[in-house]
Amino acid sequence: MALAAQTTEGELYRPVLGSNSRHPNGWHIRVIVSSQTEARHNRHLWAPTHLVSIRAPASRLLSMIELPPERHLELYFGDATDPNAPDAARAEAVEATFAFIDRLPEDAHLLVHCLRGIGRSTALTLGILARYMAPEEAAAALHALRPEAKPNRHVVGLCDAVLGLKGKLAKQALRFPAKVWKA
């Protein structure tokens, strides 16, 4: 991820929000979103305090960051965009993610990654952001975090439904990938 190469260690987890009264512990949304390969290669530099790993069923998580189970949420679903596919994400995965996020301390450094690409991790991160800001702002924040984001449309749709946004988040996901973000 270009972010790691261009910043110092203290700048890696710049807070997205200055304050966050909507989070139970006031988490300022310090997050990096990546693929598993990037996470594995940068695990010592990034040193997250909390981790969300997304992988397809029957795949392996290779030499990742070692964190206690209460700081590592493992989700099992594929990159399917068809909601009827056997390995497609389900609303329960989004709900489990939001419950995990609610337990983060104020100073948490979260890494969200997925195996094989960045579609699922960017989609789930978009949903996380949308819990604390309007869909348009969440999409702009995701673009700032990961300019080449390609959010999985099905996962975004699940986040949209769980958050009760009535298609507003899904509409923003259609703007990706974007070289330049226009408000």
Side-chain angles (χ1 to χ4, degrees), residues 5 8 13 27 53 56 68 73 79 81 116 131-132 181:
T8 65
Y13 290 98
W27 180 54
S53 300
L73 176 64
D79 202 17
T81 55
R116 297 189 187 111
R131 295 183 78 206
Y132 308 108
W181 195 259

Side-chain angles (χ1 to χ4, degrees), residues 39-63:
R40 194 172 64 245
H41 291 304
N42 293 297
R43 65 183 178 263
H44 298 297
L45 173 65
W46 292 351
T49 61
H50 294 77
L51 182 63
V52 175
S53 300
I54 308 165
R55 58 191 170 114
S59 64
R60 292 180 356 135
L61 199 57
L62 304 171
S63 62

Side-chain angles (χ1 to χ4, degrees), residues 139-144 146-149 172 174-183:
L142 176 62
H143 186 267
R146 191 70 196 213
E148 67 279 15
Q172 290 301 313
L174 295 174
R175 298 176 65 186
F176 291 93
K179 290 186 180 193
V180 177
W181 195 259
K182 296 179 183 175

Side-chain angles (χ1 to χ4, degrees), residues 3 9-20 26-32 105-110 129 133 141 144-145:
L3 178 66
E9 186 174 337
E11 295 175 318
L12 288 174
Y13 290 98
R14 279 174 275 172
V16 172
L17 295 176
S19 64
N20 189 0
W27 180 54
H28 294 224
I29 311 179
R30 290 178 182 93
V31 62
I32 293 175
E106 180 181 0
D107 61 347
H109 294 168
L110 177 67
L129 293 166
M133 56 191 75
L145 289 168

